Amino acid sequence: MISPFERQVLRRLLKIAAAHAHETRPNPPAVAAVITNDTEITIARHHGPGTSHAEVAALAAAGPKAKGATLIVTLEPCTHWGANPPCTKAIIASGIRRVIFPIADPNPLVSAHPATTQLIEAGIEVESGILQREAAIANAEFLTHVSLNRPYITAKVAASLDGKTALSTGESKYISGKIALRFVHQLRSRCDAIMVGIGTVLADDPQLDIRTEVQSPLPFRKIILDTHARTPLTSRLFSNTSKENIVIVVSNTAPHARVSALSEIATVLAIPSPSLRHQWAMILPQLHQLGIYRILLEGGTAVMSNAIDSGIVDQLIVIHSPILIGGDSPFSVYSGSGATRLSTAPALFHPTYQRAGRDMITNGYLNDPLTLIRSSIHS
């Protein structure tokens, strides 16, 4: 059984890993590790492609002190060759006595040859299944794109206290305050792409860029759901970006001339039907194949409700501002098909709440990350 100190260390490591998750793209989220003998000896984390994995970095920093010590790490150690050799080889060679990790790595290359089996065969004690909830949340994006072969989707909505996202005229700039707007751009910088519907493009002519001191380490994509190919060729979203970084989803029923014109300045993905509700199973794998693993959905009411009802929204973030819009505005956080019973209404898993200046941010999961965990309890 792990000690209270070890549990505390693992909780701290998960917070570190979650805070730096976006820095390791396109690799899995940042993994953090500690070598300990009842008191912390050394701590390390993965810094991205081409750098040592957290376990190897921690072992190197600990040196001979690693012999007989405990390794605590936020994800099952890797067992396969990639840009780096298997971490299990370094762990076994170091003389580590005991390894603790919360959840198994869903990567098929690891699950086919589990670290637990290799470590136990080498005489190393293994304990896992600790703080699974925290670990699942910290690794939710990675668990989704590896297990489901589709991007992880975070939906963000800014609304008034009465749930309106715009006035009846369509005006929505800016419901949120400056601090919340900075938070939104930080969200964008942690994703591979932003996705909106054609309604947002036509109404607001947005740039869909990142305006924050925290810049994305990889090219930032813009995804437009435009089944009838109505995106204006002069839209601001085309400024300061390349054709490869704009993806427009059209349907086969869209006017050929419009699709051809858009193909000159954007990557066009075609789907059979203009009805998105039945096309997500085709759209998301195609985006995944383009290397898009994390999407921030900022679409309007129609796109947001469609995505939620289709079950593809993994995480939902609602920014409520202390204003009341009222009236007959049709714009709301969620219209959807409507719940017939409160017990069946969509509800957030693991919700959290934080202040952002005058605004309140609710953050939770419509798809529980815990359901993606592969059983790996050995304690």
Side-chain angles (χ1 to χ4, degrees):
M1 299 295 292
I2 71 169
S3 68
F5 170 75
E6 291 167 337
R7 186 178 293 270
Q8 181 182 13
V9 168
L10 179 54
R11 185 171 281 113
R12 175 186 171 192
L13 290 178
L14 287 167
K15 289 181 179 179
I16 293 172
H20 297 279
H22 62 291
E23 298 176 13
T24 61
R25 293 184 290 158
N27 281 16
V31 174
V34 152
I35 309 294
T36 179
N37 271 322
D38 295 328
T39 59
E40 187 175 308
I41 295 176
T42 185
I43 185 171
R45 68 177 177 86
H46 181 46
H47 288 268
T51 65
S52 297
H53 288 185
E55 302 95 314
V56 174
L59 289 170
K65 293 180 180 179
K67 187 173 184 179
T70 294
L71 166 67
I72 305 176
V73 62
T74 56
L75 187 67
E76 178 185 11
C78 71
T79 59
H80 65 94
W81 282 86
N84 293 292
C87 289
T88 48
K89 289 186 177 295
I91 294 170
I92 293 169
S94 71
I96 282 286
R97 177 182 64 85
R98 187 160 157 262
V99 174
I100 298 172
F101 61 87
I103 58 174
D105 188 336
N107 187 328
L109 295 174
V110 177
S111 58
H113 304 283
T116 298
T117 302
Q118 296 184 20
L119 296 174
I120 290 177
E121 288 177 351
I124 298 173
E125 296 178 34
V126 177
E127 295 189 50
S128 60
I130 304 102
L131 299 181
Q132 290 192 80
R133 173 181 174 274
E134 291 90 335
I137 290 173
N139 291 282
E141 297 171 356
F142 174 61
L143 293 171
T144 298
H145 90 75
V146 171
S147 301
L148 303 180
N149 293 312
R150 69 162 176 82
Y152 181 86
I153 297 181
T154 299
K156 186 279 300 179
V157 186
S160 61
L161 281 179
D162 52 340
K164 304 293 186 180
T165 59
L167 304 179
S168 58
T169 60
E171 179 186 349
S172 62
K173 292 185 178 180
Y174 288 102
I175 289 178
S176 303
K178 290 183 178 180
I179 295 177
L181 287 174
R182 190 180 307 122
F183 168 81
V184 170
H185 283 276
Q186 289 173 339
L187 272 179
R188 290 183 180 183
S189 73
R190 292 169 176 262
C191 294
D192 301 320
I194 181 173
M195 181 162 65
V196 300
I198 182 60
T200 297
V201 174
L202 295 177
D204 300 336
D205 190 20
Q207 285 185 284
L208 303 179
D209 58 2
I210 301 174
R211 295 186 296 275
T212 175
E213 66 280 0
V214 183
Q215 292 299 313
S216 174
L218 295 177
F220 184 66
R221 313 280 188 91
K222 305 173 185 181
I223 304 168
I224 314 302
L225 302 170
D226 181 15
T227 54
H228 297 292
R230 293 185 293 157
T231 302
L233 303 181
T234 56
S235 294
R236 293 200 304 159
L237 64 91
F238 293 113
S239 63
N240 300 318
T241 191
S242 65
K243 172 182 177 179
E244 293 74 21
N245 291 333
I246 298 181
V247 180
I248 301 181
V249 178
V250 303
S251 73
N252 290 335
T253 61
H256 177 75
R258 291 289 305 165
V259 174
S260 179
L262 289 173
S263 298
E264 295 293 323
I265 55 177
T267 299
V268 173
L269 297 182
I271 57 177
S273 167
S275 173
L276 285 176
R277 181 69 181 270
H278 305 290
Q279 302 299 311
W280 291 114
M282 177 176 291
I283 296 170
L284 297 184
Q286 289 188 70
L287 296 175
H288 193 260
Q289 289 174 3
L290 292 175
I292 299 174
Y293 302 141
R294 303 166 177 87
I295 293 175
L296 182 63
L297 174 61
E298 292 192 23
T301 299
V303 168
M304 192 71 65
S305 300
N306 183 302
I308 290 174
D309 283 347
S310 299
I312 66 162
V313 174
D314 301 296
Q315 183 176 1
L316 178 63
I317 298 174
V318 181
I319 303 172
H320 275 114
S321 291
I323 59 173
L324 296 170
I325 290 179
D328 58 356
S329 168
F331 305 102
S332 61
V333 172
Y334 170 70
S335 56
S337 55
T340 56
R341 299 175 61 185
L342 287 176
S343 60
T344 61
L348 295 183
F349 295 95
H350 321 300
T352 59
Y353 311 91
Q354 69 182 86
R355 288 282 301 274
R358 67 171 194 172
D359 303 318
M360 177 64 71
I361 300 174
T362 300
N363 186 353
Y365 301 84
L366 286 170
N367 292 326
D368 190 351
L370 278 169
T371 63
L372 299 173
I373 292 178
R374 175 169 58 87
S375 178
S376 61
I377 301 176
H378 296 273
S379 56

